[in-house]
Amino acid sequence: MSFSRSMLQSAGILLFKYADGELQVMLVHPGGPFWSAKDQGAWSIPKGLIDANEEPLAAARREFREETGGEARGNFIELGRLKQPSRKIIHVWAAECDFDVSKIVSNTFVLEWPKNSGRLNEFPEIDRGGWFGLAEARVRMQKGQLGFLDLLEAKLRETRSGRLPDPD
């Protein structure tokens, strides 16, 4: 499948860690009134649009910082890109990093809410984050992003230890 730069594209970082021998991934929950009562199928990899002339990994790192208020650290391993049901393309990298989700501070957006009220309200782009084992992540994640969990598992199986190699 070929992808052109003219298509709407996003980039993100899927952090992972091992807790009590279990592989866990960090996901974020979108903020705002549309998502407030949704849980299953609502969580996402921290990601956002790639600016014109921006490299996808640079966009992923910028978006992670904007959405969480922190830095994703580690050896970034490209997982690939997947076309979403919306036709948007998402590029994702994985990194082993124990990020403290209790300290997430997201950028915000303005929305007229309630709809047609004429009142503008500010909402966080991300209202919370969490660490989930793969089975739970598969229930909580937006369905178009589920393939990234499979890609992460495949990358980890390629190594003898089940962990990604340290950068040189």
Side-chain angles (χ1 to χ4, degrees), residues 34-91:
F34 177 76
W35 296 101
S36 64
K38 295 180 170 124
D39 189 59
Q40 292 187 0
W43 292 69
S44 175
I45 296 166
K47 61 172 181 39
L49 291 175
I50 301 171
D51 292 337
N53 301 317
E54 187 176 28
E55 289 301 316
L57 179 55
R61 294 182 77 175
R62 174 183 51 76
E63 285 292 337
F64 188 93
R65 190 171 41 257
E66 289 175 2
E67 291 190 353
T68 68
E71 295 290 333
R73 302 196 189 287
N75 182 24
F76 295 101
I77 304 299
E78 187 171 5
L79 294 181
R81 53 193 177 193
L82 295 175
K83 190 179 217 177
Q84 300 301 288
S86 67
R87 302 186 48 82
K88 183 191 316 181
I89 305 301
I90 300 179
H91 304 253

Side-chain angles (χ1 to χ4, degrees), residues 105-146:
V105 177
S106 178
N107 56 347
T108 60
F109 66 95
V110 175
L111 177 71
E112 179 185 17
W113 192 258
K115 189 176 179 182
N116 299 319
S117 67
R119 288 184 293 183
L120 297 178
N121 290 288
E122 193 170 0
F123 299 96
E125 194 169 333
I126 298 303
D127 61 17
R128 64 190 178 275
W131 285 98
F132 304 101
L134 293 183
E136 188 174 356
R138 289 183 194 287
V139 171
R140 290 183 184 244
M141 274 181 97
Q142 295 175 17
K143 72 177 182 176
Q145 297 177 32
L146 289 172

